[in-house]
């Protein structure tokens, strides 16, 4: 009676198809309802309508073209695509493990029997003994591991989550490449603007040196004033090689991002263009929306799901493994013509059992490893969430304050331009010293350079904000990656 009861329980367990290990539940990640900074405070160029292709909002055709080239040609993206291919192949293997496998095996052999072996000595005593022997065989073999305790299903869960993580990581790489391309392009335009400011200031200083030298020839200026003007000119000229070196490095970096040899796009970038205007960022959502849209967070969450499934895969090793295998075919040692006769037919059916009864210590160690990996993935996911919100807050703060700085510096640059003209006019009348003119020149150069840098940093902060938000986030469009 007890044995019968045990068999009933075993049968119920098999029919239920229990799955070993813990089921996955997305971890709770409490986040604030809104960001502390609001990017709508900065003076943007209008509301953004389509954030899926956010780089178009800078209204710079060359920037948009370079981002498209980078997405098509970047080698980091090529590596990410290869990793997705590998993960997809791993999922295919996990799916195949749940299905029966079959193979066809054929054999044709001819052998020559030794007379010195016990078998040869016995067989050779027969008068019609032939030392040559033939063997023919053709079989269809099939096997199937019954996933009674869910180890293979947990492996499939891990493979699915791994593919989703790879897919999301590839999307994150694409977003990073687009942001890096836009950031480098903006840096190039900023360096060109600063170089133009320095070159313009060099021309102004050269004109000042010429006028002071003319006044010296007429006895209206001392020689030390000529030296002062010439020294100020040298200081401005010394900034040009530094800016040019930085510009060359930025152009080379852009070529590498585009998957091209450094110098490929230098000619078309040589023509100066304005620093891209900062678009107005609206509908940025809340920190909680980052969990659904930002691809690196999706990848981290999927890695956590995969780690959880691997715990169940390890736990399933505690239980026995059952398999079914069968063979259907023909075998003969007479001739190939008799291979498919009724007498040559053969078949077999096997119920297999494998149970690691005396290996529980190793299984426990494997389970602890899997649990440790799951704990590591959980900590990595929570850290990624915190860092994501930090990225958004920092980008919004930089965007707001750099835009404000740009406005202030533009106003100061206008005032210093008028001050410089007034000081030079006063110097020609003898109402101001040359030092006043040189000080006005230095102040104007610094203000113009700082204003250009502020414009660059504001545009770069906008790029960082788009990247931190996950690129094309929209309130009415939940992430599709997590649903694949």
């Amino acid at each position: 009676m007890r044995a019968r009861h045990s068999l009933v329980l075993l049968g119920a367990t098999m029919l239920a198809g229990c799955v070993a290990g813990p089921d996955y539940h997305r971890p709770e990640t409490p986040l604030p309802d809104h960001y502390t900074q609001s990017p709508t405070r900065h003076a943007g160029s209008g509301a953004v309508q389509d954030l899926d292709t956010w780089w178009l909002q800078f209204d710079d055709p060359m920037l948009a073209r370079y981002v498209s080239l980078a997405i098509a040609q970047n080698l980091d993206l090529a590596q990410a695509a290869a990793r997705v291919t590998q993960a997809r192949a791993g999922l295919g293997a996990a799916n195949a493990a749940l299905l029966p496998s079959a193979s066809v095996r054929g054999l044709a052999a001819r052998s020559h029997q030794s007379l010195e072996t016990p078998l040869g000595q016995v067989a050779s005593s027969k008068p019609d003994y032939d030392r040559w022997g033939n063997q023919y065989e053709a079989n269809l073999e099939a096997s199937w591991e019954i996933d009674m305790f869910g180890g293979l299903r947990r492996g499939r869960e891990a493979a699915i989550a791994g593919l989703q993580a790879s897919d999301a990581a590839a999307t994150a790489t694409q977003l990073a490449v687009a942001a890096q391309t836009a950031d480098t392009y903006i840096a190039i335009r900023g360096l060109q603007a600063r170089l133009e400011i320095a070159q313009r200031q060099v021309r102004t200083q050269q004109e000042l040196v010429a006028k002071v030298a003319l006044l010296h020839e007429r006895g209206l200026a001392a020689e030390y004033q000529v030296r002062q003007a010439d020294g100020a000119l040298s200081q401005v000229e010394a900034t040009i090689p530094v800016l040019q070196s930085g510009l060359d490095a930025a152009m080379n970096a852009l070529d590498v991002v585009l998957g091209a040899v450094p110098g490929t796009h230098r000619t078309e970038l040589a023509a100066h263009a304005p620093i891209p205007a900062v678009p107005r960022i609206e509908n940025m959502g809340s920190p909680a929306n980052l969990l659904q849209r930002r691809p690196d967070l999706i990848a981290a969450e999927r890695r956590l799901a995969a780690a959880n499934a691997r715990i169940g895969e390890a736990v399933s090793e505690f239980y026995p493994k059952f398999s079914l295998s069968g063979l259907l075919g023909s075998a003969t040692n007479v001739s190939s013509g008799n291979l498919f006769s009724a007498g040559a037919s053969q078949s077999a059916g096997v119920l297999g059992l494998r149970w690691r009864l005396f290996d529980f210590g190793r299984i426990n160690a494997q389970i602890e490893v899997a649990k440790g990996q799951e704990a590591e993935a959980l900590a990595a996911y929570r850290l990624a969430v915190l860092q994501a919100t930090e990225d958004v807050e920092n980008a919004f703060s930089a965007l707001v304050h750099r835009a404000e700085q740009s406005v202030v510096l533009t106003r100061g640059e206008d005032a210093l331009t008028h001050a410089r003209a007034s000081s030079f006019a006063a110097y020609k009348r003898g109402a101001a010293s040359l030092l006043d003119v040189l000080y006005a020149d230095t102040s104007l150069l610094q203000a113009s350079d700082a204003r250009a840098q502020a414009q660059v940093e504001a545009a770069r902060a906008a790029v960082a904000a788009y990247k931190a938000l996950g690129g094309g986030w929209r309130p009415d469009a939940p992430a599709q990656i997590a649903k694949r």
Side-chain angles (χ1 to χ4, degrees):
M1 185 69 181
R2 183 176 300 175
R4 183 180 300 176
H5 183 65
S6 299
L7 289 173
V8 171
L9 287 178
L10 178 59
T13 302
M14 294 176 64
L15 292 174
C18 61
V19 181
D23 291 330
Y24 176 70
H25 299 284
R26 187 188 299 268
E28 295 292 332
T29 50
L31 292 171
D33 295 331
H34 56 81
Y35 298 107
T36 59
Q37 293 285 346
S38 175
T40 56
R41 289 169 47 194
H42 80 274
S45 58
V48 174
Q49 300 299 324
D50 183 10
L51 296 183
D52 288 330
T53 51
W54 53 265
W55 50 88
L56 299 180
Q57 311 309 320
F58 287 91
D59 197 22
D60 190 312
M62 187 169 285
L63 184 154
R65 185 168 71 86
Y66 283 152
V67 170
S68 298
L69 281 175
I71 292 175
Q73 302 174 174
N74 183 266
L75 296 179
D76 287 330
L77 279 176
Q79 294 179 62
R83 287 191 289 270
V84 172
T85 301
Q86 296 171 43
R88 186 172 290 112
L91 176 57
N95 286 329
L98 287 165
L99 302 174
S101 62
S103 62
V104 175
R105 184 170 62 88
L107 173 66
R110 183 171 174 79
S111 61
H112 189 257
Q113 177 64 50
S114 170
L115 298 178
E116 300 300 326
T117 63
L119 177 61
Q121 291 175 357
V122 172
S124 62
S125 62
K126 295 182 179 180
D128 57 347
Y129 173 67
D130 185 1
R131 296 179 63 184
W132 290 97
N134 300 323
Q135 181 180 357
Y136 305 96
E137 190 170 351
N139 296 311
L140 172 63
E141 300 174 352
S143 63
W144 180 31
E145 181 176 337
I146 304 172
D147 190 31
M148 184 179 298
F149 298 100
L152 296 178
R153 277 170 284 170
R154 289 302 190 193
R156 182 177 181 274
E157 287 179 20
I160 291 174
L163 174 58
Q164 292 171 334
S166 295
D167 198 4
T171 303
T173 302
Q174 178 175 312
L175 175 59
V177 167
Q180 184 180 2
T181 304
D183 184 85
T184 306
Y185 176 83
I186 291 169
I188 289 172
R189 293 312 186 195
L191 286 166
Q192 288 177 331
R194 295 177 63 194
L195 192 59
E196 187 176 2
I197 291 169
Q199 291 170 340
R200 185 172 66 245
Q201 191 63 26
V202 165
R203 292 192 294 269
T204 301
Q205 293 283 78
Q206 288 173 339
E207 293 173 1
L208 178 62
V209 169
K211 291 176 181 178
V212 173
L214 181 60
L215 291 174
H216 173 64
E217 291 176 0
R218 296 177 180 178
L220 300 177
E223 183 180 355
Y224 78 88
Q225 292 180 320
V226 178
R227 302 303 181 192
Q228 283 179 331
D230 192 53
L233 171 61
S234 298
Q235 288 182 337
V236 179
E237 289 176 333
T239 64
I240 292 178
V242 177
L243 293 173
Q244 188 62 57
S245 176
L247 180 60
D248 291 342
M251 287 183 173
N252 292 337
L254 181 61
D255 283 329
V256 172
V257 173
L258 297 178
V261 177
T264 302
H265 300 90
R266 180 164 301 192
T267 301
E268 61 186 12
L269 282 168
H272 288 203
I275 300 170
V278 179
R280 189 177 185 85
I281 300 178
E282 294 185 340
N283 296 330
M284 62 278 187
S286 66
N289 296 128
L290 294 178
L291 305 179
Q292 302 173 359
R293 183 59 185 89
R294 188 160 149 153
D296 61 331
L297 297 187
I298 295 173
E301 188 272 332
R302 291 289 83 198
R303 293 189 191 103
L304 175 60
N308 181 85
R310 291 190 189 100
I311 295 176
E313 192 174 14
V315 171
S316 70
E317 291 298 315
F318 273 129
Y319 303 102
K321 308 290 185 182
F322 295 95
S323 63
L324 294 174
S325 60
L327 179 147
L328 181 63
S330 296
T332 181
N333 60 359
V334 178
S335 68
S336 59
N338 296 327
L339 180 61
F340 298 104
S341 64
S345 64
Q346 62 179 3
S347 61
V350 179
L351 173 62
L353 169 65
R354 181 179 64 87
W355 198 353
R356 298 169 61 180
L357 278 176
F358 303 103
D359 202 18
F360 285 170
R362 186 173 300 178
I363 295 173
N364 278 322
Q366 293 171 346
I367 293 172
E368 291 303 315
V369 169
K371 288 181 177 179
Q373 292 173 342
E374 193 264 350
E376 180 184 4
L378 176 59
Y381 172 66
R382 288 175 173 168
L383 178 61
V385 171
L386 295 179
Q387 290 175 337
T389 54
E390 179 190 19
D391 290 344
V392 177
E393 294 286 4
N394 290 343
F396 284 175
S397 177
L399 178 58
V400 169
H401 295 109
R402 285 294 190 175
E404 292 174 350
Q405 182 191 28
S406 179
V407 172
V408 173
L409 288 173
T410 300
R411 188 166 59 245
E413 183 182 15
D414 292 339
L416 288 172
T417 300
H418 293 296
R420 198 274 174 188
S422 299
S423 65
F424 184 69
Y427 170 72
K428 289 194 295 184
R429 297 194 307 268
S433 67
L434 180 62
L435 288 176
D436 294 331
V437 180
L438 296 177
Y439 178 77
D441 278 339
T442 301
S443 299
L444 178 59
L445 174 61
Q446 292 175 347
S448 299
D449 189 72
R451 185 262 309 157
Q453 291 187 62
Q455 287 180 339
V456 169
E457 293 304 320
R460 295 178 69 183
V463 172
Y466 285 126
K467 179 184 176 183
L469 289 171
W473 182 85
R474 291 180 299 177
D476 58 342
Q480 298 300 317
I481 297 175
K483 294 184 177 181
R484 293 175 186 169

